[in-house]
Amino acid sequence: MPCLLVVLVLAFPRLVLVLMFFSSHYLQRAYAGPLLPLAGFFFLPLTTLVYAWLVNSRLPIDGIYLLILIVAVIIDVGGLGGGEWHRRRR
C-alpha cells in the first residue's frame, strides 16, 4: 500500500496537494500561510509535498532527507523544462 501511495504522489502531485489542503491540516502545519502552498501548487508541487512531509514527520532537513528534497526539486524543474527541450529539437 505505501508503494501505491508513492506512485500516486509522483503521478498526480497537484491532485494530492488539493486533497490534502481541503481534507487535512497537513499543509497548514508545515507552512505559515496559504501563499507558499499555493505557489508550490503551480511551480513545485512535488517539492511542496516532500517539504510538508519532512516538517510534519519532524525529520531534520539534512543528510538523506536533504537529498530527497533536492531530488524532488530536480523532478519538478525537469518537468517544467522537458517540453522546451523537445520543441527545440524539432
Side-chain angles (χ1 to χ4, degrees):
M1 187 68 175
C3 291
L4 183 62
L5 185 62
V6 170
V7 170
L8 179 71
V9 169
L10 288 173
F12 307 104
R14 287 183 176 93
L15 177 66
V16 172
L17 272 173
V18 169
L19 291 174
M20 287 174 67
F21 184 78
F22 288 118
S23 66
S24 72
H25 295 285
Y26 202 78
L27 293 175
Q28 287 83 358
R29 286 192 306 257
Y31 298 101
L35 187 61
L36 280 175
L38 185 65
F41 176 81
F42 290 109
F43 299 110
L44 300 170
L46 187 60
T47 305
T48 304
L49 287 171
V50 169
Y51 181 78
W53 168 67
L54 291 172
V55 170
N56 281 297
S57 300
R58 293 186 171 93
L59 296 170
I61 302 179
D62 62 355
I64 189 71
Y65 301 114
L66 181 60
L67 182 66
I68 292 170
L69 189 64
I70 290 170
V71 167
V73 170
I74 291 170
I75 291 171
D76 280 336
V77 171
L80 293 174
E84 181 64 28
W85 183 80
H86 287 291
R87 275 193 297 264
R88 288 184 184 188
R89 200 151 179 234
R90 289 185 199 178

